[in-house]
Amino acid sequence: MCPAGRTRILGGMSGATATNASGPPSGGFEHTVKDFWASRPRRPHRGRKVAGVAAAVGNRYGVDPVVVRVALVTATVFGGSGVLLYLLGWLFFPDESDEVAPAEGLLGRGHSSTSKGLTVVLCVAVFLSASWALTGTGWLDGGGLIGLALLVAAVYLLHRGRGHLRRPVAALAYQEGPGGTAFAVPLSAQATAPGWDPLGAAPLAWDLPDPNPEPPRPTEPAEPPEPRGRKSRIGVATFGLTLIVGAVGATLAANEGGWFTPAHVLGLMLGVLGIGMVTGAFVHGGRGLVWLAVPLSIAGLLLTSLPNDPFRGSFGPIKATPTTAEAVLPEYRTSVGTIDLDLRQLPADAEVSTTVATGAGTGTVYVPADADVTYTCSTTAGSANCLGSERSGLDTGPVEGEDLGDDGGPGGANITLDVSSSVGSVEVLRG
């Protein structure tokens, strides 16, 4: 037991930071990684949107948290690595009022305000997001691994350049009062050392100086404010370059197709925005780019979630009534609108195969009463009614089958159909 009125400093860390140090860390890769772990960002209570991971990184290295959030969202669109890194930060960055991070608290290494149940859920989510991000199942093969490598490299460079600033410092003390009562107090509350109490009595009973006083610790000077320079034009330059990339990509997508789909063009635009915003974090510019990055990220996420790039094609309704097999097109496609394809005028010996696809709208195909029809009908969100087989809901899977017509056997036109809609309904009906 410590004598009454004595104070013992705890080894834990709190949200307080030291704003000055000797300079950027020297040493190699291993030293930088160890120093990063020892001075990890701490998740603040103020300024957090979910768990405070982006705010923690921003506060630790003096970077706008908005830039960190946009980088994570962009990395999520480019393969899912943003979600993985956010969950890892939630698990291994301590809360500013806790002794240890949630993962360490789960192992019994100290107190964490995150419940063990939530920590286990986070561990499972990390495993699932890692499987998604690192298996290359997204639209950009290997995009998750590339995004993960870029973000890890960015954090490493941030720590190399700014790791000596805003370092967390010990800020809790363990004080024993009269009678052995123990309580924790902030280190800032102990502005002066208590007087020496040789009899262990109440602190107010004696007022004798400590016979072995500790020399006063030098106060570290505050980090000087960064000088104001000319306002950076990185935001305007990035905005202009993003529009140019979008315009060129849209032109190539409309004329040549191939790799240049709407989802890929949006990805290129987000890549330009991400580079500009990260650069702007160091030159104090480009904050307004977030208002362009957020809607583009949402649009990109929606496009990559829909199969087969459904919004490739014209706009408006399509109506066709071919009378010969040669007049039937291989594909009827519209981005937004309806498609009415009437095949009831085909001759009895016709043999045709076609695809009917709408991004948002209704696709309807009419077939002769005695035609032999092989069909595949699907919707991402909507309903399908194909020759009596019905299905509706969200991503319910395709309706597939073969129908030999009213005559119940082979005969009549031979028709193969693939009818799909991302948002809407599809029908195959006999006339």
Side-chain angles (χ1 to χ4, degrees), residues 263 266 293-305:
L266 281 177
V294 170
L296 286 181
S297 298
I298 295 174
L301 187 61
L302 291 176
L303 283 179
T304 54
S305 300

Side-chain angles (χ1 to χ4, degrees), residues 31-110:
H31 172 80
T32 302
V33 172
K34 289 182 178 179
D35 187 67
F36 169 80
W37 180 259
S39 60
R40 285 171 286 171
R42 301 184 71 84
R43 295 181 286 113
H45 293 162
R46 298 185 60 183
R48 64 169 56 183
K49 300 301 181 183
V50 181
V53 174
V57 175
N59 294 344
R60 172 66 177 86
Y61 297 108
V63 177
D64 191 338
V66 174
V67 176
V68 181
R69 294 187 183 106
V70 172
L72 290 172
V73 171
T74 304
T76 299
V77 175
F78 276 83
S81 58
V83 173
L84 174 60
L85 282 181
Y86 194 93
L87 292 173
L88 289 174
W90 194 342
L91 276 173
F92 292 102
F93 291 171
D95 187 278
E96 66 177 2
S97 60
D98 291 345
E99 296 176 1
V100 296
E104 295 170 303
L106 185 64
L107 300 176
R109 296 181 178 177

Side-chain angles (χ1 to χ4, degrees), residues 308-314 318 320 325-335 339 341 352-358 365 416-420:
N308 300 326
D309 191 14
F311 295 99
R312 173 175 55 88
S314 62
I318 296 176
E326 293 76 13
V328 178
L329 300 178
E331 181 181 75
Y332 298 87
R333 180 182 292 272
T334 182
S335 295
I339 299 178
L341 177 60
V352 297
S353 177
T354 189
T355 296
V356 175
T358 64
V365 182
T416 301
L417 298 173
D418 186 350
V419 189
S420 64

Side-chain angles (χ1 to χ4, degrees), residues 18-25 35 60 162-167 220-224:
T19 58
N20 196 345
S22 58
D35 187 67
R60 172 66 177 86
R162 305 176 68 90
H164 60 294
L165 305 175
R166 304 170 182 264
R167 298 178 67 87
E220 294 181 341
E223 180 183 358

Side-chain angles (χ1 to χ4, degrees), residues 152-396:
V152 171
V155 173
Y156 176 82
L157 293 175
L158 268 177
H159 192 78
R160 289 287 297 181
R162 305 176 68 90
H164 60 294
L165 305 175
R166 304 170 182 264
R167 298 178 67 87
V169 297
L172 289 180
Y174 185 83
Q175 180 167 320
E176 293 188 5
T181 304
F183 55 94
V185 296
L187 188 60
S188 58
Q190 310 203 22
T192 59
W196 177 48
D197 189 1
L199 299 182
L204 297 180
W206 295 85
D207 191 16
L208 299 178
D210 195 328
N212 297 307
E214 294 184 2
R217 296 183 179 180
T219 302
E220 294 181 341
E223 180 183 358
E226 297 184 3
R228 290 189 176 183
R230 297 179 59 186
K231 188 175 180 180
S232 173
R233 296 183 180 179
I234 187 68
V236 175
T238 302
F239 181 80
L241 183 58
T242 301
L243 294 183
I244 293 174
V245 170
V248 173
T251 302
L252 293 174
N255 296 333
E256 298 182 11
W259 185 88
F260 287 94
T261 65
H264 288 161
V265 173
L266 281 177
L268 292 174
M269 296 173 69
L270 283 170
V272 174
L273 281 175
I275 295 173
M277 295 183 73
V278 171
T279 304
F282 294 95
V283 297
H284 304 286
R287 294 191 62 178
L289 294 174
V290 65
W291 301 111
L292 178 60
V294 170
L296 286 181
S297 298
I298 295 174
L301 187 61
L302 291 176
L303 283 179
T304 54
S305 300
L306 298 174
N308 300 326
D309 191 14
F311 295 99
R312 173 175 55 88
S314 62
F315 290 84
I318 296 176
K319 188 171 183 179
T321 307
T323 57
T324 63
E326 293 76 13
V328 178
L329 300 178
E331 181 181 75
Y332 298 87
R333 180 182 292 272
T334 182
S335 295
V336 179
T338 61
I339 299 178
D340 287 314
L341 177 60
D342 190 347
L343 303 178
R344 290 175 295 184
Q345 305 300 318
L346 292 177
D349 59 349
E351 184 171 344
V352 297
S353 177
T354 189
T355 296
V356 175
T358 64
T362 301
T364 304
V365 182
Y366 299 93
V367 296
D370 58 349
D372 300 337
V373 181
T374 301
Y375 59 86
T376 299
C377 300
S378 61
T379 62
T380 303
S383 62
N385 178 12
C386 294
L387 298 178
S389 298
E390 298 184 20
R391 189 170 294 177
S392 62
L394 295 174
D395 200 15
T396 57

